[in-house]
Amino acid sequence: ETQNKRTTTTFRRRRSPTQSDFEMMTEETEKKAASKGATVKMHKKAMVASKKKPDLEGIRLLEDGVKALEMKDYDAALPLFERAYKTCMESSVEMVKQEKAKSSATDATDGTKGKETKGKDKENAVPNKKEKEEEKKDACEEAVKSILNKPGDLLAKKKEIDAKLPNYAKNSEENMKKHLENTGGKYRTRFPPEPNGYLHIGHAKAMYFDFGVAKLNKGETYLRFDDTNPTAEKQEYIDSIKDSCKWLGHEPAKITYSSDYFDALYELAIQLIKNGGAYVCHQTKEETAKSRRLLREFQESCAKSGVENRYEVELPEGAASPYRERSVEENLELFEKMRSGLCEEGECSLRMKGDLRSDITSMWDLAAYRVKKAEHPRTGTKWCIYPTYDYTHNIVDSLENITHSLCTLEFETRQAPNGPYYWLLDKLDVYKPSTWEFSRCNITYNVMSKRKLNLLVTQGLVNGWDDPRMLTIDGMRRRGYTPTSVNNFCAKMGVTRNENVQPLERLENEIRAELSVDSNRFFAVLDPLKVEIVNYPTDRSAQLLMDAPFHPSFMEERGMRKIQLTETVFIDRNDFREVDDPSFFGLSVNKKVRLLFAYDITCTGITKNPETGVIESVQCEIDMESRTNKPPKGKLHWANTEFKTAEVRVYDKLFTVPEPGKVVVDVANAAAVVAREEEEEDEEEEEEEEENLDGATSKKKSLKDLEAEHPWLKQVNPESLVVYKNALVEPMLIENYADQPYSVRVELQRLGFFTFDLDSTKACPVLNRIVTLRESNTKKK
């Protein structure tokens, strides 16, 4: 970020590049072969230009250049980066919003920035706030206006590709006519989770966009469960997903399942075989992996050799499956054997006959059906073969007449105009939905990978999928987040395609801002230290019944509560020090503090355990005339002898570093690293088709072994949960709400915002800390 700022400052001081400058750059490039250094340098310049002026054409050229760079085709990459740089710098696209967004991000994470803002001109501050509100309101609307296709557009994908490549993303007029008759020209989106786990905040972002786009256009959204893997799906996941969707305020027009279409999918698979688009393959998993390695080497060789047309070059031996050229009749016969249960698991699969010379790896004959002799939760034992995600989701999008299939960026190449999503629909001659991709939701101090979350849960490093330290929707709900705060966070995040990591503070600020107004205030002492008032005036009991407001800003509306100042009170142990310090505002020997809403007390003595030396109690004198005096700097919350014992769970960040497991890389190679990581995770998702991630069968390992195998686990915060078993809480709070989890969110003064946990009862109350009172407190910790 610092480097970007430095680059921006320098660029502003230089003169604007002229047309002749661009021509000279191009001429110099053409004179000699592009070097890696020059290409990387121009890549960096193009990235900066695209951030300053995010022109869509410039960004497209930049993306094409990145693909060439990944293939180490520097001669192709360099001119693409130069054209991207030129296009962006000459664009009329304004960069004001980009700068404001950066400023906002800095304000949210830099405590000093807030102080600088206070000194700014008020007239300038108000419009900025209004503009941010407008930007928040229009997040989905802007996507609809400027990005997404309108229902009825024959071209399903706006993205431009090389004219030499096939474009499968064009609808026929006949198919589009049938589609519009079904939808009436309205928007129809879908949210398609796999019922093999719990949803997290990334899914909340996707839901906000899926449901939001349809709602803005008076359309509808389907909640579709992609239940194609019978060994991984459970009813508990389905119930949890439905509940999460409802909790966030989204109402699907229809709830569907991919399994509803198993019969139609099977018939279409037969049609695909007859069209020459699929074949039964008997390669083993290892043999398939070897073929894919050969195809990667083929792509790299063509790039290094400067081959313009890969389709004129022979594939290396072994790159294609030896079963690829089976006849239609043989494939139909073998597929029927698979269907009849005559083939064993892993023995064979039905593969789509894609394009082995394509630079899109997902065109390399992905599996369409595999043998799984497992009972399905919905279809029972009817099937022993099940369709894969890559075969199912686009066909079901078509069958359900989805107008807009919105996904995260890892599906971008799959949904390219010459990618497998449109290739399959084109081969089957069915309606093709419009697709668009947006960036994932990544948040600091957390992990979002399904495998990483599963590892945390199955190895007991957290307490289940609803552990309040994780950003699963069930976890956030249990911690005390509200649907409004989560949706507001998603709204402000927008639907950018730029890879980004959102600061956790932004999410926390949403719930903090809501609760600072909505929550009533109470006293609680987490780690009680006894305070004996040695000169307690027993004859002045009326003056010792203290009035405390439920909320100082709403005293008339919400009223006051009564708290008796008893002869023995309790303060938090960390509010007392035997040896005072100028920066410490708590109680110390011979030091005065104010008990909130009560009187000043001065410490006159302490009592220690003779064996351990631990302070057991402190003795204080009360000043009954101090109410009208200016209070000392130290103002402490307290508990009396009538307070109830409760368990209080204080949650903090799950990891000690902002981006767990991140490897620091050169800025110029950042995009390539991100792309590579996405590809690796994408391949992991393919493998999940064959694996069951259910933690019930996972063997627990020692923490040492786990950290050796997964180094990012060393960054788990050992203090992410601190439990106070003997905290003291105001009786009113316990009596009214302790057996009603999530029914109330309160501010425990000086401690944070809290809610009652699912485990809570009146006999054994349990409170969870939702968030600290101020962002600065979190940072100090």
Side-chain angles (χ1 to χ4, degrees):
E1 189 175 88
T2 306
Q3 193 162 356
N4 283 344
K5 287 180 180 177
R6 191 183 301 120
T7 305
T8 305
T9 305
T10 307
F11 187 80
R12 284 176 178 168
R13 290 176 183 173
R14 294 175 183 168
R15 63 177 176 80
S16 299
T18 64
Q19 181 66 28
S20 60
D21 290 333
F22 289 123
E23 290 173 356
M24 287 175 63
M25 286 165 55
T26 307
E27 286 175 9
E28 288 176 7
T29 305
E30 290 174 351
K31 289 177 183 177
K32 56 183 180 181
S35 67
K36 178 181 177 181
T39 306
V40 168
K41 187 175 180 181
M42 183 51 67
H43 174 215
K44 182 179 174 183
K45 289 181 70 175
M47 284 180 68
V48 173
S50 69
K51 288 176 182 177
K52 291 176 64 180
K53 293 191 174 185
D55 182 272
L56 290 177
E57 175 63 17
I59 291 172
R60 185 190 68 78
L61 290 165
L62 178 60
E63 289 173 348
D64 290 343
V66 169
K67 288 181 182 178
L69 181 60
E70 289 173 0
M71 302 301 295
K72 299 183 180 180
D73 188 355
Y74 305 123
D75 290 333
L78 182 56
L80 284 167
F81 290 143
E82 288 173 346
R83 285 168 60 199
Y85 174 72
K86 175 183 176 182
T87 303
C88 289
M89 293 310 300
E90 290 180 345
S91 175
S92 59
V93 174
E94 293 294 329
M95 50 184 164
V96 178
K97 286 186 180 179
Q98 179 91 3
E99 290 182 352
K100 284 181 181 173
K102 280 187 179 180
S103 175
S104 174
T106 309
D107 290 352
T109 54
D110 188 348
T112 61
K113 201 73 178 178
K115 296 177 182 178
E116 294 173 11
T117 308
K118 289 180 183 177
K120 286 186 177 179
D121 187 295
K122 286 186 179 179
E123 292 181 4
N124 291 332
V126 174
N128 286 346
K129 188 175 181 180
K130 284 183 178 178
E131 263 186 56
K132 286 177 183 177
E133 287 298 316
E134 287 298 317
E135 191 174 343
K136 169 194 165 185
K137 291 176 184 176
D138 296 338
C140 289
E141 188 175 348
E142 285 301 312
V144 171
K145 284 181 180 179
S146 58
I147 299 171
L148 302 181
N149 286 11
K150 300 294 182 290
D153 285 355
L154 292 178
L155 185 62
K157 190 78 169 182
K158 282 184 175 181
K159 186 175 181 180
E160 294 182 13
I161 59 172
D162 193 316
K164 297 176 183 177
L165 297 174
N167 189 334
Y168 305 113
K170 296 174 183 176
N171 272 300
S172 68
E173 291 187 5
E174 183 183 352
N175 284 338
M176 181 55 71
K177 182 182 177 182
K178 291 178 184 177
H179 162 72
L180 292 174
E181 285 173 357
N182 180 278
T183 63
K186 290 184 178 180
Y187 278 70
R188 182 181 292 168
T189 60
R190 88 287 183 268
F191 175 61
E194 296 176 66
N196 60 0
Y198 292 82
L199 303 185
H200 56 63
I201 195 165
H203 298 103
K205 175 186 174 180
M207 273 192 274
Y208 179 83
F209 193 35
D210 287 328
F211 283 89
V213 164
K215 189 175 180 180
L216 276 171
N217 294 276
K218 299 180 180 179
E220 60 186 9
T221 302
Y222 287 2
L223 170 60
R224 183 206 304 154
F225 290 99
D226 180 34
D227 57 341
T228 57
N229 188 350
T231 59
E233 281 117 32
K234 286 186 176 181
Q235 189 61 42
E236 69 173 281
Y237 300 141
I238 292 172
D239 294 340
S240 172
I241 290 168
K242 287 180 181 177
D243 194 41
S244 295
C245 186
K246 183 179 178 181
W247 181 70
L248 286 169
H250 303 304
E251 296 182 13
K254 193 175 181 181
I255 297 177
T256 65
Y257 298 79
S258 293
S259 56
D260 295 341
Y261 305 96
F262 276 178
D263 288 326
L265 289 165
Y266 177 74
E267 292 301 324
L268 288 169
I270 291 176
Q271 181 182 327
L272 188 64
I273 294 172
K274 290 179 178 179
N275 292 345
Y279 63 97
V280 175
C281 180
H282 282 76
Q283 276 190 310
T284 63
K285 188 176 179 180
E286 292 73 21
E287 289 169 342
T288 303
K290 184 179 179 181
S291 293
R292 292 179 73 84
R293 281 197 298 272
L294 289 170
L295 288 171
R296 288 184 190 279
E297 291 170 5
F298 169 77
Q299 294 286 334
E300 291 172 4
S301 174
C302 288
K304 288 178 181 177
S305 305
V307 174
E308 292 185 6
N309 189 350
R310 295 186 181 94
Y311 295 89
E312 296 177 351
V313 181
E314 277 192 33
L315 291 172
E317 187 177 348
S321 167
Y323 310 102
R324 201 170 193 263
E325 301 306 324
R326 276 175 165 161
S327 67
V328 170
E329 292 73 19
E330 186 180 4
N331 283 317
L332 288 172
E333 183 182 340
L334 289 170
F335 190 48
E336 177 56 30
K337 284 181 67 177
M338 289 173 61
R339 166 75 177 87
S340 302
L342 300 177
C343 299
E344 298 301 320
E345 290 190 19
E347 180 184 338
C348 57
S349 63
L350 181 71
R351 295 177 68 179
M352 292 176 275
K353 198 171 182 180
D355 182 357
L356 299 182
R357 288 175 173 80
S358 172
D359 59 355
I360 298 175
T361 58
S362 49
M363 282 294 288
W364 299 348
D365 295 7
L366 294 182
Y369 269 86
R370 72 278 202 221
V371 178
K372 275 187 179 290
K373 295 185 177 180
E375 185 174 344
H376 192 279
R378 287 176 59 80
T379 61
T381 56
K382 179 179 178 180
W383 299 93
C384 61
I385 56 170
Y386 292 94
T388 62
Y389 175 84
D390 286 294
Y391 174 77
T392 304
H393 84 290
N394 45 353
I395 293 179
V396 178
D397 279 350
S398 178
L399 294 175
E400 291 186 339
N401 281 288
I402 300 301
T403 59
H404 296 83
S405 176
L406 310 172
C407 303
T408 45
L409 277 171
E410 66 266 29
F411 295 98
E412 182 176 25
T413 56
R414 277 174 157 81
Q415 297 178 167
N418 58 325
Y421 183 97
Y422 288 113
W423 172 87
L424 180 56
L425 298 181
D426 189 73
K427 203 74 177 173
L428 295 171
D429 189 25
V430 293
Y431 158 72
K432 301 162 187 173
S434 174
T435 58
W436 192 74
E437 303 81 28
F438 53 90
S439 63
R440 283 181 171 186
C441 175
N442 294 307
I443 299 178
T444 55
Y445 299 100
N446 287 274
V447 291
M448 297 295 165
S449 161
K450 186 190 299 182
R451 285 177 175 272
K452 289 181 178 179
L453 290 173
N454 186 70
L455 188 67
L456 290 170
V457 173
T458 57
Q459 295 300 322
L461 299 174
V462 293
N463 302 316
W465 285 97
D466 64 346
D467 189 299
R469 289 169 289 182
M470 298 203 302
L471 291 183
T472 58
I473 293 177
D474 282 359
M476 289 190 293
R477 189 176 179 181
R478 186 168 184 177
R479 183 153 177 172
Y481 277 91
T482 62
T484 309
S485 62
V486 176
N487 284 329
N488 284 345
F489 172 74
C490 293
K492 292 180 180 179
M493 192 170 21
V495 287
T496 176
R497 285 172 55 82
N498 295 328
E499 285 300 329
N500 61 85
V501 179
Q502 296 292 323
L504 176 62
E505 289 79 10
R506 288 190 184 176
L507 175 61
E508 292 179 335
N509 283 340
E510 290 301 324
I511 186 65
R512 188 179 287 119
E514 183 179 327
L515 297 184
S516 63
V517 175
D518 294 347
S519 297
N520 284 337
R521 302 184 179 187
F522 294 89
F523 279 165
V525 173
L526 301 184
D527 188 9
L529 175 63
K530 184 191 291 187
V531 176
E532 300 165 324
I533 301 175
V534 295
N535 63 335
Y536 184 80
T538 54
D539 58 337
R540 300 171 71 176
S541 58
Q543 291 176 265
L544 296 168
L545 186 60
M546 316 313 304
D547 285 322
F550 283 109
H551 197 298
S553 299
F554 304 99
M555 285 192 285
E556 289 186 13
E557 298 90 337
R558 304 187 192 181
M560 310 287 282
R561 64 194 198 276
K562 302 284 187 181
I563 306 176
Q564 184 69 46
L565 184 64
T566 51
E567 187 171 356
T568 297
V569 295
F570 300 88
I571 63 172
D572 259 312
R573 189 169 290 275
N574 62 10
D575 277 334
F576 179 82
R577 288 184 187 175
E578 188 174 359
V579 179
D580 197 14
D581 183 277
S583 62
F584 179 63
F585 297 141
L587 184 64
S588 190
V589 179
N590 297 322
K591 185 178 181 179
K592 182 189 293 184
V593 296
R594 170 72 57 90
L595 295 179
L596 279 171
F597 310 120
Y599 301 91
D600 294 351
I601 58 171
T602 303
C603 178
T604 58
I606 58 176
T607 301
K608 293 184 178 181
N609 183 301
E611 295 180 3
T612 63
V614 175
I615 296 174
E616 293 183 337
S617 64
V618 299
Q619 293 76 48
C620 292
E621 291 184 354
I622 189 169
D623 180 359
M624 293 297 293
E625 309 303 321
S626 60
R627 288 293 296 275
T628 57
N629 299 337
K630 180 181 178 181
K633 287 185 177 180
K635 305 177 191 67
L636 308 184
H637 61 286
W638 49 279
N640 65 24
T641 52
E642 297 171 357
F643 275 40
K644 303 288 187 182
T645 302
E647 177 179 315
V648 177
R649 299 169 182 173
V650 176
Y651 292 101
D652 206 340
K653 298 183 179 79
L654 182 54
F655 291 90
T656 57
V657 295
E659 296 182 57
K662 181 181 178 182
V663 179
V664 179
V665 295
D666 185 78
V667 175
N669 295 323
V673 169
V674 168
R676 190 160 56 250
E677 287 175 349
E678 284 184 352
E679 185 177 335
E680 287 171 359
E681 187 153 349
D682 202 17
E683 288 177 354
E684 284 182 356
E685 288 176 1
E686 284 182 42
E687 290 174 9
E688 284 172 18
E689 292 281 357
E690 303 301 326
E691 294 179 14
N692 182 358
L693 292 183
D694 185 5
T697 57
S698 299
K699 291 183 179 180
K700 287 192 177 182
K701 301 178 181 179
S702 69
L703 184 59
K704 186 177 180 181
D705 290 342
L706 282 171
E707 289 178 348
E709 192 175 342
H710 308 280
W712 58 275
L713 288 176
K714 294 178 181 178
Q715 298 165 335
V716 170
N717 181 7
E719 298 182 357
S720 59
L721 171 60
V722 178
V723 180
Y724 296 91
K725 293 281 189 181
N726 299 302
L728 298 174
V729 181
E730 277 192 52
M732 180 193 304
L733 190 56
I734 302 293
E735 290 162 7
N736 292 342
Y737 303 108
D739 58 350
Q740 302 174 45
Y742 321 135
S743 61
V744 66
R745 295 167 180 83
V746 300
E747 177 183 328
L748 298 184
Q749 294 193 253
R750 298 183 66 232
L751 298 176
F753 295 102
F754 291 77
T755 192
F756 284 99
D757 185 71
L758 197 63
D759 296 335
S760 182
T761 63
K762 283 189 178 180
C764 301
V766 180
L767 285 136
N768 294 336
R769 186 173 77 178
I770 306 168
V771 70
T772 54
L773 294 177
R774 296 180 183 84
E775 183 182 325
S776 56
N777 288 354
T778 308
K779 286 180 180 179
K780 284 176 184 176
K781 284 194 174 187

